[in-house]
Amino acid sequence: MASDLNSTKTRITPRLIIHGGAGNITRKNLPKASYNAYCSALLATMRAANDLLAAGGTALDASTHAVSLLEDIPLFNAGKGAVFTRAGTNELEASVMVSRGKRKRGCGVMLLKRVKNPILLAREMLLRGEEGNGGGAQEHCQLSGEDVERLARKWNCEMVEPGYFFSQKRWDQHRRGLERESGASWGLSSASDVKGISNVELEDENSEVEEYLPRGTVGCVALDQWGTLCVATSTGGLTNKLPGRIGDTPTLGAGFWAEEWIENPPSTEYPQPRALPLYQHLISIPAHLTAILCSCLSNLTTYTSLAQDDFEGTKPTPRKARAVAMSGTGNGDSFLRTAAARTAAAITRFSTPTIPLSAAVTQLIGPGGEMQRSAGDRWGKTGEGEGGIIGIELVNGKGRIVQDFNCGGMFRAWVDDRGTERVMVFKEGY
């Protein structure tokens, strides 16, 4: 629904952008056939979500629907295509956040092993925040493991056996990664070697020359006709992460963020409180005498709260709403260390003059940006600092698509300002 902040007689044009992960992607380790498969999946997902927006759906509807579709496609490191931990298990994470309209604003769920679509659980947690006791989640914005999976069952989220998340390609990546570290074969090569896995669908092994190990997530940022932004993100985490590791995807401010604020015209003048005559006298009295005086006069204190009209120079000024939303993908620990998504939003919100979100994102995640610098001398050796961000900025009732990355590539799809469908992996075309 429309808010007072963005009330307008003109319907805002909905916008949407999705991503399918980022990292050490090159033309050498992404053959043309694989490239085409990724592009087809991204375009189909984007079209389905855009159709929802065009039919009057909310940003929350569109973004979570898009991510749930990507979770069902084994190509992507989320849901069915999630990577394995060092222990050979899958531990999934997801999050959702709106710029306004919900009490909790944002929710993250993590360490999931049996929820088919983690993004739908995060959505449910956000929606049930409007109920008393949060539908059982209380006021909490983040929950994990068996406890949140109990709520998932209570809320009728679709549950599956752990074997559902198995794919041969991800298992082979897991096995080869461990073998490279130890220099020995682990001897595990199929679903039957993993405890509890049954009725799985196997994929043909990719014959890539240099392996692209997924470090990313899937995500969607949407703007609806009422001016609300929503970001939805889901991941299986890092290949061969330690069991119990929690990344940036479910962590507010790190791998995702959405907010709206009222923007005032920049001013170099700051309102000053009007000094009260009695207070002026008190500040010249020694502290011990002031305490005695205050104890004798019960109505006297050394601080008097001031009403709004007690400030000098305060005048009504034109105000307008501005909003941003972002989803990150890449090395989650680097996103955590830099609080990347919220930092980019804060650069835009608090800079004078205002810095566009596109420039703020580039400062964080573009080549040579803060994420890259955070890796220090480990840059280019471990994957640390690598990643990308997609987003939308709402300015003067118009949505602006934002995207940048500092690594080999980022799978992404969007509709540009001219209404043309775009899908890309690299900075330039394949």
Side-chain angles (χ1 to χ4, degrees), residues 257 259 261 324 326 340-351 355 357 360:
W257 188 257
E259 69 175 302
W261 66 93
V324 299
M326 285 161 284
R342 172 56 175 149
T343 297
I347 290 172
T348 294
R349 179 169 182 174
F350 299 114
S351 296
I355 294 176
L357 183 64

Side-chain angles (χ1 to χ4, degrees), residues 401-416:
I401 297 291
V402 172
Q403 55 181 292
D404 207 349
F405 56 96
N406 63 14
C407 48
M410 177 170 70
F411 299 103
R412 61 208 190 275
W414 74 102
V415 176
D416 66 21

Side-chain angles (χ1 to χ4, degrees), residues 79-396:
K80 176 63 178 169
V83 299
F84 286 92
T85 69
R86 298 183 71 83
T89 58
N90 304 103
E91 294 182 348
L92 285 67
E93 307 171 339
S95 61
V96 65
M97 191 171 191
V98 291
S99 57
R100 56 178 165 86
K102 300 299 179 187
R103 183 183 303 173
K104 290 187 176 182
R105 286 262 314 285
C107 290
V109 293
M110 59 212 79
L111 302 181
L112 304 177
K113 298 180 179 180
R114 294 176 180 272
V115 179
K116 180 177 183 288
N117 291 105
I119 192 61
L120 299 183
L121 174 57
R123 171 194 167 95
E124 198 68 25
M125 188 171 165
L126 178 73
L127 293 175
R128 290 183 181 267
E130 307 303 298
E131 304 173 3
N133 196 35
Q138 300 184 22
E139 73 281 4
H140 306 314
C141 290
Q142 291 180 298
L143 288 172
S144 66
E146 294 180 359
D147 295 300
V148 75
E149 289 195 328
R150 277 194 289 270
L151 288 175
R153 293 185 183 91
K154 176 182 175 182
W155 296 339
N156 296 318
C157 293
E158 186 174 356
M159 309 298 288
V160 295
E161 291 300 314
Y164 166 81
F165 300 108
F166 180 91
S167 72
Q168 188 67 47
K169 178 179 178 180
R170 294 288 187 248
W171 181 252
D172 291 341
Q173 290 170 342
H174 156 67
R175 190 186 72 253
R176 286 195 296 267
L178 295 179
E179 289 173 355
R180 279 196 296 268
E181 291 181 17
S182 66
S185 173
W186 285 66
L188 301 177
S189 60
S190 69
S192 60
D193 295 316
V194 188
K195 182 179 179 181
I197 289 181
S198 60
N199 298 322
V200 299
E201 296 180 7
L202 303 182
E203 299 178 34
D204 292 332
E205 184 171 349
N206 196 318
S207 59
E208 297 166 352
V209 178
E210 292 181 1
E211 192 167 21
Y212 159 56
L213 292 179
R215 292 181 176 273
T217 64
V218 299
C220 177
V221 179
L223 167 68
D224 61 32
Q225 61 182 304
W226 299 284
T228 299
L229 285 164
C230 182
V231 51
T233 312
S234 180
T235 189
L238 295 173
T239 301
N240 289 338
K241 63 184 179 180
L242 288 174
R245 180 259 189 184
I246 296 171
D248 63 308
T249 292
T251 305
L252 282 86
F256 70 103
W257 188 257
E259 69 175 302
E260 179 183 86
W261 66 93
I262 292 296
E263 188 175 63
N264 290 321
S267 173
T268 57
E269 298 181 1
Y270 296 90
Q272 298 297 324
R274 210 182 271 130
L276 302 179
L278 182 56
Y279 182 79
Q280 286 179 314
H281 291 299
L282 282 175
I283 59 177
S284 64
I285 299 174
H288 69 283
L289 294 179
T290 299
I292 295 173
L293 182 59
C294 288
S295 66
C296 296
L297 302 174
S298 59
N299 291 329
L300 177 65
T301 65
T302 56
Y303 174 80
T304 302
S305 60
L306 303 179
Q308 182 61 41
D309 57 7
D310 284 325
F311 285 86
E312 296 176 351
T314 301
K315 299 178 181 178
T317 55
R319 306 192 305 166
K320 60 181 179 180
R322 195 180 188 108
V324 299
M326 285 161 284
S327 175
T329 174
N331 187 289
D333 295 302
S334 298
F335 276 87
L336 286 164
R337 282 194 284 270
T338 57
R342 172 56 175 149
T343 297
I347 290 172
T348 294
R349 179 169 182 174
F350 299 114
S351 296
T352 303
T354 300
I355 294 176
L357 183 64
S358 57
V361 165
T362 294
Q363 284 187 34
L364 259 294
I365 204 75
E370 183 61 28
M371 280 271 288
Q372 179 174 333
R373 292 193 296 270
S374 73
D377 59 7
R378 298 174 301 281
W379 173 255
K381 301 175 182 177
T382 64
E384 190 173 339
E386 294 182 357
I389 289 176
I390 63 168
I392 297 177
E393 179 179 24
L394 179 62
V395 183
N396 296 326

Side-chain angles (χ1 to χ4, degrees), residues 15 43 46 50 413-423:
R15 302 296 302 270
L43 279 173
M46 182 191 67
N50 265 327
W414 74 102
V415 176
D416 66 21
D417 295 339
R418 297 184 297 274
T420 303
E421 292 181 340
R422 304 287 303 279
V423 59

Side-chain angles (χ1 to χ4, degrees), residues 11-16 46-59 62 223-226:
R11 175 179 175 270
I12 292 173
T13 301
R15 302 296 302 270
L16 181 139
M46 182 191 67
R47 288 167 181 163
N50 265 327
D51 287 346
L52 253 180
L53 284 176
T58 66
L223 167 68
D224 61 32
Q225 61 182 304
W226 299 284

